[in-house]
Amino acid sequence: IIVLSATGEFAAPTGSIPGASAKPAAAKDFITIYCTGLGAVNDRPATGAPASLTTLSQTTVLPTVMIGGVAATVVSSGLTPSSVGLYQVNVQVPDGVAAGDAVKVNLTIGGVAANEVTMAVR
């Protein structure tokens, strides 16, 4: 899932998700990528316990993110507070990404590539 950090709207074409708010992201917008399987974190919660709301559990390795083939700035990466096993990667959409309804997003961490996903960019 990719959402606009400021509003929580899905980074998808407007009206594309029934019952949910969606709009394309723009250059300089901050987005949040929700995912699983990013590996070790510091301040790890107990097995099966939700991540802390007060002490962030950041990944020990910062992922790289490409949006439409352009390197994005990764602001933070770690477990989502109050969730179990859910990671979030906070990223700024770079300048130079071509607009489209299905712009490719590639995340790599520790030399391992995640499944490619898409997002809408205006």
Side-chain angles (χ1 to χ4, degrees):
I1 296 173
I2 301 176
V3 299
L4 301 173
S5 300
T7 64
E9 295 170 288
F10 289 99
T14 303
S16 65
I17 303 172
S21 184
K23 75 175 189 181
K28 304 292 185 201
D29 282 350
F30 288 92
I31 59 170
T32 301
I33 302 168
Y34 290 99
C35 52
T36 60
L38 296 186
V41 295
N42 57 23
D43 297 311
R44 187 179 114 170
T47 300
S52 172
L53 287 169
T54 57
T55 304
L56 296 179
S57 297
Q58 298 291 317
T59 56
T60 57
V61 175
L62 198 62
T64 59
V65 175
M66 302 290 285
I67 301 174
V70 181
T73 300
V74 176
V75 178
S76 65
S77 170
L79 292 173
T80 301
S82 76
S83 294
V84 177
L86 180 64
Y87 291 80
Q88 68 181 64
V89 181
N90 299 315
V91 177
Q92 188 172 33
V93 177
D95 287 322
V97 175
D101 289 344
V103 176
K104 293 178 181 181
V105 178
N106 302 95
L107 184 148
T108 303
I109 188 165
V112 178
N115 293 334
E116 184 176 273
V117 296
T118 62
M119 64 181 276
V121 176
R122 58 181 161 100

